[in-house]
C-alpha cells in the first residue's frame, strides 16, 4: 500500500472515527511543519500553509486580525447585501438549541466575520478562538482554514482538525463555500459551518452548498444591486456621480454616531474606524500616505494594507470620494463636516453660532491619539472663544454643556462678568466643586 493509499484510507475515518483521524492529522501536521511533508496533508493545503507562514502566521497560537469591533461589524452586516438572506440561512443551517454544537458563520468578500449564529455553548467555544464578528478569517488574518480556502479557490472547502495551520484550531472542523452575486459573479461573502470535529457529518458539505444556492436565489429575487454598490455588497452612491464637479460630501463627526451623506441624500452610518479616517482626511488637504495613516490609526504595528482595505470599503460605501497616492478627497468633491462648520463660525467671530453648532465633542468614542488631539483642539478653541466674548449668557451656556463642564477658567470669567450674586454662577461653582471632589476621590 502506497503512502497516498494509506492517506485515502485514513480519510475514510473522518466520519466513522473522527478522533482517530484527528490524531493521524496532528502527526502529519507536526511532520509537515518540520519540513517532512506527509500525504495526509493535501498539496493544496501545504501551499496555503506556506503562504500563511510567509505572512507571519504563527502555528503555535495565532490570534486573528480584528478589522472591526463586534458592534461595528454588526453595523456593517446590517447594511450588507447578504443581510437579506440571513433569516433564511439561519432557518436552514443554524442550531441555537441548548445542545447545538455548530456555528453558522457568514463573512464578507474579504473574510471578515459579519454574522455568527449558534448555541451559547458553541458561541463560547468560538470566543476562545476569537472567532467573532469583526475577526478576519482570511489566509492573511488567521492562516489556513475553510473560509480562507473558499476565498482563495472560489470553490467549497472542508477542513478537519490539523488540516488547519494554527494548532488551537485542531479541535474544529469547518465547511465553507463562497456566495456569489447572481448578476455579476463577484464573491459577496462566504457561508461557513464550523464546530467541534465530532459535529462534521457526511451531509455538512451538501448542506452548505444548499445554503449557498438558496442565498443566491434569494439575491436574484431581490433584484440587481443599485448602481455603485461596493464589491463587498454594501449600498453606495454611484461612482460616476462623485467624479463630477460641484459634488458635496457631508460628514457628521461630532458625537458618537458618525454619518455621511452625499448631496443631501440618505445618511449612511459610519463605523468608528471609517469615521476616524474621514476625519483625518478632512484635517489635511495635502493628503496622507497609506503608511502615515497606518501609523496614526494603528501605531507602530500598523500595516498599510489595513488602510488600503478600509479605503476600499469607504469607496464601496460612498463611491470614489477618496483618491490615492496620497489619500485625499477627490478634486470634484466639496467636503463639509459639522466640526468644520463650528470652526468656520469661530473664524468669523460668530461665537454664539459656533456654540449652537457644537452639540458634542469630536468622535467621542475614539481613543485614537490623532483624533484626541483634533478633539481637544476644537474643544479648546470653542472654550477660549466663549471666554473671550465676555458675554455672561454665552459663558454660562458653555459651562452647562458636557464640553465646558470642566472649564474652570470659564467659571472664573463668569464670576467676574456676572458677579457672585448671580444664581447661575452659584450653579456653576457648585458643579465645579462637585467635579473637584470626584477627581480627588
Amino acid at each position: 500500500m502506497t503512502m497516498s493509499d494509506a492517506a485515502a484510507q485514513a480519510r475514510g475515518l473522518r466520519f466513522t472515527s473522527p478522533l482517530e483521524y484527528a490524531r493521524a492529522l496532528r502527526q502529519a501536521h507536526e511532520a509537515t511543519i518540520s519540513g517532512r511533508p506527509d500525504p495526509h496533508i493535501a498539496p493544496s493545503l501545504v501551499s496555503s500553509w506556506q503562504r500563511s507562514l510567509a505572512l507571519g502566521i504563527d502555528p503555535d497560537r495565532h490570534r486573528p486580525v480584528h478589522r472591526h469591533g463586534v458592534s461595528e461589524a454588526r453595523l456593517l452586516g446590517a447594511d450588507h447585501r447578504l443581510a437579506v438572506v440571513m433569516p433564511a440561512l439561519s432557518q436552514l443551517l443554524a442550531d441555537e438549541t441548548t445542545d447545538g454544537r455548530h456555528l453558522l458563520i457568514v463573512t464578507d468578500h474579504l473574510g471578515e466575520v459579519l454574522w455568527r449564529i449558534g448555541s451559547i455553548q458553541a458561541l463560547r467555544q468560538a470566543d476562545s478562538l476569537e472567532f467573532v464578528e469583526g475577526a478576519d478569517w482570511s489566509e492573511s488574518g488567521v492562516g489556513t482554514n475553510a473560509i480562507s480556502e473558499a476565498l482563495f479557490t472560489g470553490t467549497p472547502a472542508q477542513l478537519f482538525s490539523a488540516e488547519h495551520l494554527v494548532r488551537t484550531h485542531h479541535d474544529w472542523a469547518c465547511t465553507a463555500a463562497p456566495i456569489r452575486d447572481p448578476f455579476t459573479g463577484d464573491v459577496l461573502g462566504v457561508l461557513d459551518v464550523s464546530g467541534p470535529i465530532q459535529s462534521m457529518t457526511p451531509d455538512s458539505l451538501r448542506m452548505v452548498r444548499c445554503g449557498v444556492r438558496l442565498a443566491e436565489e434569494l439575491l436574484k429575487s431581490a433584484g440587481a444591486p443599485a448602481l455603485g454598490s461596493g464589491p463587498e455588497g454594501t449600498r453606495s452612491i454611484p461612482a460616476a456621480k462623485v467624479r463630477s464637479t460641484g459634488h458635496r460630501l457631508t460628514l457628521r463627526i461630532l458625537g458618537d454616531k458618525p454619518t455621511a451623506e452625499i448631496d443631501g441624500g440618505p445618511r449612511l452610518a459610519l463605523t468608528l474606524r471609517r469615521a476616524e479616517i474621514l476625519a483625518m482626511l478632512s484635517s489635511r488637504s495635502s493628503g496622507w500616505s497609506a503608511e502615515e495613516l497606518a501609523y496614526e490609526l494603528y501605531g507602530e504595528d500598523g500595516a498599510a494594507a489595513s488602510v488600503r482595505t478600509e479605503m476600499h470599503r469607504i469607496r464601496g460605501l460612498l463611491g470614489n470620494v477618496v483618491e490615492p497616492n496620497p489619500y485625499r478627497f477627490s478634486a470634484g468633491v466639496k467636503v463639509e463636516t459639522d466640526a468644520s462648520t463650528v470652526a468656520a463660525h469661530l473664524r468669523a467671530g460668530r461665537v454664539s453660532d459656533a456654540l449652537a453648532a457644537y452639540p458634542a465633542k469630536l468622535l467621542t468614542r475614539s481613543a485614537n491619539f490623532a483624533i484626541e488631539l483634533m478633539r481637544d483642539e476644537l474643544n479648546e478653541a470653542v472654550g477660549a472663544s466663549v471666554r473671550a466674548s465676555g458675554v455672561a449668557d454665552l459663558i454660562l451656556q458653555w459651562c452647562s454643556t458636557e464640553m465646558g463642564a470642566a472649564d474652570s477658567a470659564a467659571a472664573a470669567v463668569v464670576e467676574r462678568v456676572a458677579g457672585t450674586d448671580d444664581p447661575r454662577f452659584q450653579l456653576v461653582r457648585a458643579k465645579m466643586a462637585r467635579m473637584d471632589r470626584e477627581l480627588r476621590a
Side-chain angles (χ1 to χ4, degrees):
M1 181 182 296
T2 66
M3 292 181 67
S4 59
D5 290 336
Q9 186 179 55
R11 279 194 288 273
L13 300 175
R14 175 173 293 193
F15 304 117
T16 58
S17 300
L19 295 179
E20 181 180 345
Y21 182 52
R23 282 194 295 270
L25 282 177
R26 289 189 178 103
Q27 292 173 357
H29 181 280
E30 296 302 323
T32 303
I33 289 293
S34 301
R36 304 187 308 277
D38 188 292
H40 285 86
I41 309 299
S44 61
L45 290 182
V46 174
S47 297
S48 177
W49 287 10
Q50 292 169 343
R51 292 192 301 269
S52 300
L53 292 169
L55 289 166
I57 303 299
D58 180 3
D60 287 323
R61 187 175 180 84
H62 188 87
R63 299 173 58 190
V65 173
H66 290 265
R67 298 298 180 192
H68 298 92
V70 171
S71 60
E72 290 179 307
R74 289 173 178 168
L75 182 62
L76 289 173
D79 196 44
H80 199 282
R81 278 187 62 208
L82 291 179
V84 71
V85 308
M86 286 308 299
L89 290 181
S90 299
Q91 186 174 5
L92 176 67
L93 295 173
D95 185 357
E96 297 182 82
T97 64
T98 303
D99 299 327
R101 294 187 297 174
H102 71 261
L103 285 176
L104 166 63
I105 301 288
V106 177
T107 77
D108 69 3
H109 75 299
L110 297 174
E112 179 179 347
V113 177
L114 297 184
W115 293 274
R116 63 171 199 160
I117 305 170
S119 68
I120 293 177
Q121 176 186 355
L123 291 171
R124 285 174 178 167
Q125 289 176 314
D127 287 343
S128 68
L129 301 178
E130 299 185 36
F131 199 6
V132 298
E133 296 93 331
D136 181 358
W137 229 252
S138 69
E139 204 169 76
S140 62
V142 76
T144 306
N145 64 90
I147 293 171
S148 72
E149 282 295 282
L151 285 172
F152 185 82
T153 65
T155 60
Q158 191 170 56
L159 267 68
F160 186 87
S161 185
E163 291 173 330
H164 296 88
L165 174 62
V166 178
R167 290 184 173 90
T168 51
H169 301 168
H170 288 184
D171 291 330
W172 281 68
C174 306
T175 305
I179 303 173
R180 295 182 179 275
D181 186 320
F183 301 97
T184 67
D186 294 334
V187 173
L188 295 178
V190 173
L191 170 62
D192 172 76
V193 173
S194 294
I197 53 178
Q198 299 93 330
S199 67
M200 182 182 283
T201 73
D203 289 330
S204 295
L205 187 56
R206 180 180 63 83
M207 291 301 295
V208 166
R209 283 175 165 153
C210 286
V212 167
R213 285 198 296 271
L214 172 63
E216 291 175 352
E217 285 299 319
L218 290 172
L219 288 168
K220 188 182 297 183
S221 298
L227 290 175
S229 287
E232 72 272 26
T234 53
R235 294 182 292 274
S236 66
I237 305 300
K241 185 177 178 183
V242 300
R243 294 194 189 103
S244 60
T245 58
H247 206 72
R248 188 176 78 255
L249 169 64
T250 303
L251 300 173
R252 289 176 172 81
I253 53 177
L254 297 179
D256 61 356
K257 295 180 180 179
T259 63
E261 62 186 63
I262 291 188
D263 290 340
R267 291 190 183 184
L268 303 171
L270 296 171
T271 65
L272 181 57
R273 179 62 77 204
R274 293 178 198 174
E276 289 171 340
I277 291 174
L278 292 169
M280 293 180 68
L281 291 179
S282 71
S283 72
R284 184 192 288 186
S285 59
S286 59
W288 301 75
S289 69
E291 290 73 18
E292 287 176 323
L293 279 175
Y295 179 80
E296 294 291 347
L297 293 167
Y298 304 104
E300 293 182 354
D301 297 328
S306 299
V307 172
R308 294 187 184 102
T309 297
E310 287 297 339
M311 289 299 183
H312 183 69
R313 289 171 172 172
I314 286 172
R315 283 192 283 265
L317 180 66
L318 300 177
N320 291 337
V321 297
V322 178
E323 57 187 35
N325 301 320
Y327 286 115
R328 56 189 170 190
F329 288 115
S330 301
V333 179
K334 180 180 180 182
V335 181
E336 299 175 354
T337 76
D338 47 2
S340 66
T341 297
V342 173
H345 285 313
L346 294 179
R347 285 192 294 270
R350 299 187 295 267
V351 180
S352 178
D353 291 337
L355 188 55
Y358 186 50
K361 292 183 180 180
L362 189 148
L363 294 177
T364 53
R365 290 189 294 119
S366 176
N368 178 271
F369 182 65
I371 297 298
E372 287 178 345
L373 291 178
M374 293 171 60
R375 179 192 302 146
D376 291 344
E377 180 182 353
L378 181 62
N379 201 69
E380 177 54 31
V382 174
S385 298
V386 169
R387 294 192 301 269
S389 73
V391 179
D393 288 343
L394 278 181
I395 302 171
L396 287 164
Q397 181 184 345
W398 166 247
C399 290
S400 68
T401 67
E402 182 181 352
M403 300 80 74
D407 192 343
S408 57
V413 175
V414 170
E415 182 177 7
R416 186 175 69 251
V417 300
T420 57
D421 294 336
D422 192 313
R424 298 173 298 176
F425 168 70
Q426 298 300 329
L427 288 173
V428 171
R429 185 166 66 174
K431 181 184 291 186
M432 293 290 177
R434 175 179 59 77
M435 295 181 66
D436 187 55
R437 290 194 298 273
E438 290 175 351
L439 288 174
R440 291 177 183 174

